[in-house]
Amino acid sequence: MTRKRRADALENRDRIVAGARAAFGAGGLDVPTRAVARTAGVGVATVYRHFPSRGELVDAVLDELVAGCERDLRAAVGQADPRAGLELVVRGFAGRRVAAGGLGEVLLRRFPAQRADHAAQLDALVARAVRAGVVRDGLTVRDVRAGLMGIAGVGAVPEAATRLTEVVLAGILA
């Protein structure tokens, strides 16, 4: 028999994941559990009750970041206007990269199946944008990926990521 989780327990779990995302993003994966608990506004025991191992906590944070990417890509592909969809992808990527902070490098090394799916969705979106004529002549998905890689490279510096996002969009869009 499975038990339904209490609302306060679910709220604590969400606070812990958000706190861990912020703490790991600022200080990397070696941030002590006490710092995660403090950032989340819960006790250390509460963190361990929800996530008995550090690996489970890291996985929960990374899963949340990947799920956000998937939601953004689905929303972008679903846009009637491929220009708006492409802007959504680039801005969403930049926002997630800034929020991920020190986790960005970990994300690049994990989730190969999801990355392949995301790449296929980006390919389809860029192809649609090219057909619609809303991007610069000769633009390829490799160009868009290069722009995203540049944003990823400066993502830990929010001001730089914001500025580079605008430059990338100006270079992509017609």
Side-chain angles (χ1 to χ4, degrees), residues 24-172:
F24 292 157
L29 294 177
D30 294 331
V31 168
T33 303
R34 285 191 185 290
V36 170
R38 190 173 37 256
T39 303
V42 299
V44 174
T46 302
V47 174
Y48 284 116
R49 194 168 26 259
H50 287 274
F51 301 99
S53 75
R54 177 174 277 292
E56 290 175 75
L57 180 56
V58 170
D59 287 346
V61 170
L62 295 176
D63 287 344
E64 180 186 84
L65 290 169
V66 170
C69 184
E70 290 171 355
R71 281 191 303 275
D72 281 358
L73 277 167
R74 277 195 302 276
V77 170
Q79 290 279 329
D81 176 10
R83 177 188 178 99
L86 203 49
E87 281 189 66
L88 180 65
V89 165
V90 173
R91 290 184 194 286
F93 178 84
R96 272 189 315 284
R97 181 58 187 94
V98 167
L103 294 173
E105 295 304 313
V106 177
L107 280 170
L108 291 175
R109 292 190 307 265
R110 292 177 74 176
F111 302 98
Q114 289 88 341
R115 278 199 331 268
D117 180 55
H118 297 175
Q121 289 183 60
L122 182 63
D123 289 352
L125 181 61
V126 170
R128 211 170 101 217
V130 167
R131 285 192 304 276
V134 298
V135 295
R136 293 191 179 270
D137 286 340
L139 183 94
T140 67
V141 73
R142 290 181 68 194
D143 300 326
V144 175
R145 283 196 185 105
L148 294 176
M149 288 172 62
I151 293 168
V154 299
V157 182
E159 303 80 26
T162 299
R163 183 66 187 133
L164 187 54
T165 298
E166 296 309 315
V167 170
V168 167
L169 285 170
I172 290 172

